Amino acid sequence: MHSDYMAVLISNWSSVQSLPENYVFPPERRPGAEEIQASKDIPIINLEGINGSERSEIIQHIIKASQDFGLFQVINHGVSRELTDQTMRIFQEFFMLPAEFKSKFYSNDLNSSCRLYTSTLNYENETIHYWRDNLTHRCHPLEDHIDHWPESPPGYRIIVGKYSTEVRKFLLTMLELICEGIGIKTGYFEGELSKTQLVSVNHHIPCPDPSLTLGMPEHCDPNLISMLQQADVCGLQALKDGQWIGIEPLANAFVVIPGLQLRVISNGKLASAVHRVVTHLEKSRTTIGTFLTPSNDIMIRPVDGVLTSQEPMYRGYTYNEFFSAFIGNNCEAERALQCFKLSTMH
């Protein structure tokens, strides 16, 4: 049963001379031959002075970045360089493991506790595939999920377990700072709103023609908040004022992206960046994503603190309802949000 899967995982391909037909996008969706330079405009938040006199200035910087760009980079985030480097190395080693070992984790089941797949979870029904393999697993609470994780490379569970815990702390800190910045009571995002934590690792092997294919489609994150640790190869791009801009892989920085749930809870005050991934001709590229997502049946709605004189733009819904609308609308954020918009006409 697993031999078919071994063939479709791009990390199992030894060398690719030309781009297979089923990875070539129609002209209007291709990234094109022009290399998009890393932008110098992406906001960089330095958390070093967050507990001192600069706190309110840093928080305002976070809110402004979330409004203007829908993403930002964070330095001095408190997760050690040693741990981020070890974690990146262990994931890169995972994708280099023998096909037979990796095939044990191959799954297109969204509910699988640990799944390895290629392109998207809809691989069988796609006409064109994305140039990526992905390993995703649940991380919180750690003891409920760690036994489903790979045991190789050696140290995987210990290192990734420690990383997941540290990164969760970091993301909850970011949510606290956002609360402070937009006037929501402290602790609002703890518990059910940030209950599910996924680590999701994208791996892209060198691509024979980066102008014809994509590593990931353009999309908005449907969750609460996302964090990406990039390897040192540029590939992540965000849409700003109709133009794609490259997000430079800064040493020991995290990219933070407010998800669509933050957009709703903030009543449209915070944006969520549309982003995509392009491929690289010569280098492999690995990115570690961590996503915090509400539990399925928690109610989500614009929160009192942000409404004051403003009418709510969205009705309440459960995350499960939202996610169904998101998938049902082909993962198009605006169409999914439309399902929950309140009419402004009275």
Side-chain angles (χ1 to χ4, degrees):
M1 150 174 178
H2 289 307
S3 57
D4 305 349
Y5 301 143
M6 288 193 247
V8 301
L9 287 170
I10 62 171
S11 53
N12 294 340
W13 299 356
S14 51
S15 85
V16 193
Q17 298 311 314
S18 64
L19 193 66
E21 194 70 6
N22 53 356
Y23 286 86
V24 177
F25 278 83
E28 68 282 2
R29 293 196 56 205
R30 292 173 193 169
E34 229 169 278
E35 201 174 326
I36 295 173
Q37 297 306 313
S39 166
K40 297 291 174 215
D41 300 335
I42 304 294
I44 297 170
I45 312 284
N46 185 347
L47 285 188
E48 199 174 19
I50 197 61
N51 294 317
S53 57
E54 299 159 60
R55 186 177 179 91
S56 66
E57 196 183 325
I58 295 170
I59 288 174
Q60 283 321 303
H61 194 183
I62 290 170
I63 300 304
K64 188 160 174 29
S66 302
Q67 289 169 333
D68 297 350
F69 279 82
L71 64 74
F72 48 89
Q73 303 228 49
V74 179
I75 56 173
N76 292 315
H77 42 63
V79 183
S80 81
R81 180 70 192 261
E82 185 190 10
L83 182 58
T84 58
D85 285 354
Q86 278 181 327
T87 309
M88 179 60 78
R89 212 166 29 246
I90 214 124
F91 283 128
Q92 288 168 336
E93 286 169 12
F94 172 84
F95 284 102
M96 289 159 68
L97 288 170
E100 291 73 18
F101 175 78
K102 287 185 296 195
S103 69
K104 292 189 292 196
F105 298 98
Y106 193 96
S107 169
N108 281 336
D109 177 7
L110 194 62
N111 298 310
S112 166
S113 197
C114 178
R115 60 180 180 269
L116 173 66
Y117 61 95
T118 194
S119 185
T120 72
L121 289 170
N122 196 24
Y123 183 87
E124 276 75 23
N125 303 314
E126 291 169 352
T127 45
I128 304 165
H129 305 310
Y130 294 95
W131 193 259
R132 69 148 180 179
D133 286 348
N134 176 283
L135 175 68
T136 292
H137 55 63
R138 293 165 191 264
C139 307
H140 182 77
L142 206 51
E143 61 277 10
D144 289 2
H145 301 293
I146 199 162
D147 292 344
H148 299 284
W149 297 1
E151 289 182 82
S152 285
Y156 184 104
R157 291 180 178 181
I158 291 168
I159 291 166
V160 177
K162 192 172 173 194
Y163 178 85
S164 302
T165 307
E166 290 296 307
V167 162
R168 182 177 182 83
K169 275 188 217 153
F170 161 73
L171 282 171
L172 290 172
T173 301
M174 294 313 299
L175 288 166
E176 282 301 282
L177 299 175
I178 287 170
C179 278
E180 226 172 292
I182 59 176
I184 299 178
K185 67 172 188 296
T186 325
Y188 183 80
F189 292 110
E190 283 169 20
E192 296 295 316
L193 275 173
S194 56
K195 185 170 184 182
T196 305
Q197 179 181 345
L198 295 177
V199 68
S200 180
V201 187
N202 281 329
H203 182 72
H204 315 269
I205 63 169
C207 176
D209 193 342
S211 71
L212 299 179
T213 192
L214 285 168
M216 264 191 97
E218 59 176 82
H219 66 287
C220 271
D221 291 349
N223 55 333
L224 182 66
I225 194 166
S226 309
M227 184 216 97
L228 305 175
Q229 178 188 330
Q230 304 194 76
D232 55 1
V233 184
C234 203
L236 176 66
Q237 298 175 337
L239 193 60
K240 174 86 169 92
D241 305 325
Q243 301 292 316
W244 287 106
I245 54 176
I247 316 293
E248 191 179 0
L250 300 176
N252 207 29
F254 291 153
V255 179
V256 174
I257 307 176
L260 291 173
Q261 304 315 309
L262 268 181
R263 186 166 144 187
V264 169
I265 290 167
S266 71
N267 207 33
K269 280 195 170 72
L270 305 182
S272 183
V274 175
H275 50 290
R276 70 176 186 187
V277 174
V278 293
T279 60
H280 198 281
L281 184 64
E282 289 144 10
K283 295 176 183 165
S284 283
R285 184 173 172 277
T286 306
T287 301
I288 309 166
T290 300
F291 305 106
L292 296 189
T293 300
S295 58
N296 276 339
D297 13 348
I298 183 82
M299 282 300 285
I300 293 159
R301 57 166 63 88
V303 66
D304 293 347
V306 297
L307 293 173
T308 48
S309 60
Q310 207 187 355
E311 291 286 317
M313 288 164 59
Y314 303 95
R315 68 172 174 84
Y317 55 80
T318 64
Y319 184 67
N320 202 19
E321 252 185 289
F322 180 85
F323 198 72
S324 300
F326 186 71
I327 297 291
N329 283 290
N330 216 9
C331 301
E332 286 183 28
E334 300 310 320
R335 277 170 49 189
L337 285 168
Q338 205 55 47
C339 306
F340 306 101
K341 274 213 162 122
L342 291 168
S343 159
T344 47
M345 305 295 286
H346 287 303

